[in-house]
Amino acid sequence: MDLLNLIKDAGVIGAGGAGFPTHAKLTSKAEYLLLNGAECEPLLRVDQQLMKLFPDEIIRGMEAAGRYIEARKAILGIKGKHKEVIVLLRERIAALGLSNYMEVMELRDIYPAGDEQVLVHELTQRIVPEASIPLKVGCVVINTETALNICNAMAGNPVTETYITIAGDIPQRMTVKVPVGISIRDVIEQCGVQDIADYAIIDGGPMMGSVMNDVEGYVTKKSKGYVLLKKDHFLIRKKSVSLNRARIIGKTACEQCRMCTDLCPRYLLGHNMQPHKVMRALSYNLDDVKEQQIAQLCCECNACELFSCPANLHPKSVNILYKQKLAEQGIRYQPIQIDFQARSARDHRLIPSKRLVIKIGLTAFDKPAPMKQVEFRPEYIQIALRQHIGAPATPVVGIGDQVKAGQLIGKIPDNSLGATVHSSLDGTVIEIKDNSIVIKVGSYV
């Protein structure tokens, strides 16, 4: 079986949060394969530890993917501050005889270094065109854990586990390997918090993650972190503002200072993303949303909303509002340029990660979250059939079926973009509902 089918059968997806099926990403040839090891979200500590624990596996996964797409070079992008990991990876690349094909490049400690388009520019000096993807400039980007999962797929092991950082205002910060489908509550209980009702929980990183309405959900293959903060923390209050409230605030208070635009990472790459113009349209009640197509260029990194705006407004939320209106009318942004140049001021307007952490009130919690071995013993797991971009998987098991860890329980629908899903633990299927499969773990019912 060739690499693409091994990856496809293993259900490998983008583990950095987007969840794009990896087998689909590797169907095109490219000049560069780039590893996104930036992990630029504050407090999250997964990728940097995986590179230290599994350097050979990550390198082998990278090499296999790179050779498959006929990349002339594979580049691992890692922030320069992770010096120990960088030294280790360079040693292992040399020991594996890959120095002529693969190299580690050090990234600046900026936000959002892990944005695909920022990463491409930092590592290759190329600029992905507006509303396009890295492949347009000869690059394919994969996440650190994705590279690890590719290596595992080569050994016939499907994706049944993921690595998650639990961080924030908690007694025990940690990174743990968890079975896919375990309840989020079971994971969070490991951090030593006595009463979870006192906290709000961000699903993902503090910049791009969203505040959860409750903790009764289940871990998916693309889950990367949970940040727990007291409910009165600035970040929780800011993220809890509704789109309509953000619209009202922006309409009445925006002073058109341009800071949201001047520090926007996509604008600095030469794109036409100008949040201050979208805010201006809001203020003037402009009904013709066609003129606000630039909102679709927003990558939702939240730099404008959580760092740039001196008036504490919500430019990203307003962009999302216009994105929704444009989608309702079937309007898509049409680029008018092909070639782009980074703006001359870019190097002077990059956002230092430490300043960002201070601005969003996380300095006291910006501490290590070491890998901890935890044996989870859930009574049930709930495996989502849609943990990825594309169509949900189609169940291949029925109620009452006994399943083993690693067994296929959902296949890709015919002629669709999607990913397979597997049981992460032994058990019995007791329910198929809401695009998910519920399995009673352990003793059969």
Side-chain angles (χ1 to χ4, degrees), residues 243 247 251 273-298 300 314-332:
L243 282 183
R247 178 188 64 82
K251 183 176 179 179
M273 179 68 259
Q274 300 188 60
H276 79 282
K277 288 188 175 180
V278 182
M279 295 290 282
R280 183 189 302 168
L282 190 69
S283 299
Y284 283 92
N285 283 326
L286 299 181
D287 295 324
D288 186 3
V289 295
K290 288 183 182 179
E291 298 302 317
Q292 309 316 317
Q293 291 177 47
I294 57 172
Q296 293 177 328
L297 299 177
C298 175
E300 300 180 24
H314 304 264
K316 183 216 66 172
S317 298
V318 174
N319 279 332
I320 291 174
L321 189 66
Y322 275 102
K323 279 185 178 183
Q324 293 176 352
K325 290 182 178 181
L326 290 160
E328 289 167 3
Q329 296 186 27
I331 300 171
R332 292 182 63 85

Side-chain angles (χ1 to χ4, degrees), residues 45-58 78 82-89 92 144 148 370-371:
R45 305 285 188 257
V46 171
D47 290 355
Q48 55 202 261
Q49 296 189 76
L50 291 184
M51 288 184 279
K52 186 175 181 179
L53 291 169
F54 306 107
D56 287 17
E57 292 85 348
I58 289 167
I78 307 166
H82 301 307
K83 299 186 185 304
E84 186 179 345
V85 173
I86 290 170
V87 169
L88 174 63
L89 286 171
R92 296 312 304 155
T144 302
L148 176 61
M371 191 73 70

Side-chain angles (χ1 to χ4, degrees), residues 62-227:
M62 273 286 287
E63 183 200 8
R67 304 286 192 195
Y68 189 87
I69 64 171
E70 299 178 11
R72 70 174 179 86
K73 194 165 194 178
I75 303 173
L76 291 78
I78 307 166
K79 287 189 174 181
K81 65 182 180 180
H82 301 307
K83 299 186 185 304
E84 186 179 345
V85 173
I86 290 170
V87 169
L88 174 63
L89 286 171
R90 285 176 174 160
E91 288 175 350
R92 296 312 304 155
I93 288 171
L96 293 168
L98 292 171
S99 297
N100 291 330
Y101 181 68
M102 188 177 296
E103 72 168 304
V104 176
M105 290 184 67
E106 297 183 25
L107 298 167
R108 291 178 279 189
D109 193 11
I110 59 169
Y111 182 82
D115 173 75
E116 272 197 345
Q117 299 194 14
V118 172
L119 184 85
V120 166
H121 183 63
E122 291 290 304
L123 296 181
T124 70
Q125 294 303 298
R126 298 178 180 183
I127 296 180
V128 179
E130 292 174 340
S132 191
I133 59 175
L135 189 61
K136 193 72 173 179
V137 291
C139 299
V140 168
V141 181
I142 62 173
N143 167 265
T144 302
E145 190 172 342
T146 304
L148 176 61
N149 288 336
I150 289 173
C151 184
N152 291 335
M154 291 161 60
N157 300 318
V159 181
T160 59
E161 299 169 320
T162 189
Y163 292 84
I164 291 174
T165 293
I166 314 166
D169 187 7
I170 56 177
Q172 300 176 45
R173 300 166 189 86
M174 67 183 72
T175 301
V176 291
K177 180 172 70 173
V178 304
V180 171
I182 193 172
S183 76
I184 294 171
R185 184 181 290 275
D186 283 352
V187 177
I188 289 173
E189 284 178 352
Q190 303 299 319
C191 70
V193 170
Q194 296 299 316
D195 188 358
I196 204 169
D198 295 337
Y199 289 83
I201 302 165
I202 298 172
D203 183 2
M207 292 298 289
M208 297 185 71
S210 57
V211 177
M212 299 173 62
N213 293 324
D214 57 57
V215 294
E216 305 310 319
Y218 294 82
V219 169
T220 69
K221 289 188 276 190
K222 60 182 183 179
S223 298
K224 280 274 80 60
Y226 300 110
V227 178

Side-chain angles (χ1 to χ4, degrees), residues 384-395 410-414 416-421 434-436:
L385 292 168
R386 188 173 190 171
Q387 307 181 42
H388 49 265
I389 291 174
T394 303
K411 67 175 185 178
I412 302 171
D414 294 339
S416 297
L417 176 68
T420 58
V421 293
D434 301 329
N435 272 331
S436 65

